[in-house]
Amino acid sequence: MTTLTNTRKHTSLSGIDRLMSRIATSLIVWNERRTTRNALSRLSDRELEDIGLTRGDIDAVARKA
């Protein structure tokens, strides 16, 4: 029986992998914020008031999402 040994060092993500991961994460965050902004923008002023928000709060809430 032959035993094979892997001599390659396992390293963390390479530079391109880290870059692609950061781009993917940025796109996900951007889309979540966009979705939140759109959903809140569709609410009436009365509905926003019911949840304690005004139209001016939408961007700040989206940034926290």
Side-chain angles (χ1 to χ4, degrees):
M1 178 187 257
T2 304
T3 302
L4 298 175
T5 304
N6 184 354
T7 58
R8 291 178 68 188
K9 291 183 179 180
H10 294 285
T11 59
S12 61
L13 298 176
S14 70
I16 191 74
D17 290 336
R18 281 192 304 272
L19 175 62
M20 295 304 290
S21 178
R22 287 175 51 196
I23 290 171
T25 299
S26 294
L27 287 172
I28 290 167
V29 169
W30 170 81
N31 192 52
E32 288 173 351
R33 289 175 177 174
R34 182 187 65 82
T35 302
T36 300
R37 252 187 237 97
N38 288 342
L40 290 173
S41 294
R42 284 192 295 271
L43 296 177
S44 69
D45 289 341
R46 174 72 176 146
E47 291 168 322
L48 287 170
E49 184 181 339
D50 285 346
I51 60 174
L53 298 175
T54 65
R55 295 237 169 253
D57 297 329
I58 291 175
D59 283 334
V61 170
R63 279 192 300 273
K64 292 179 185 176

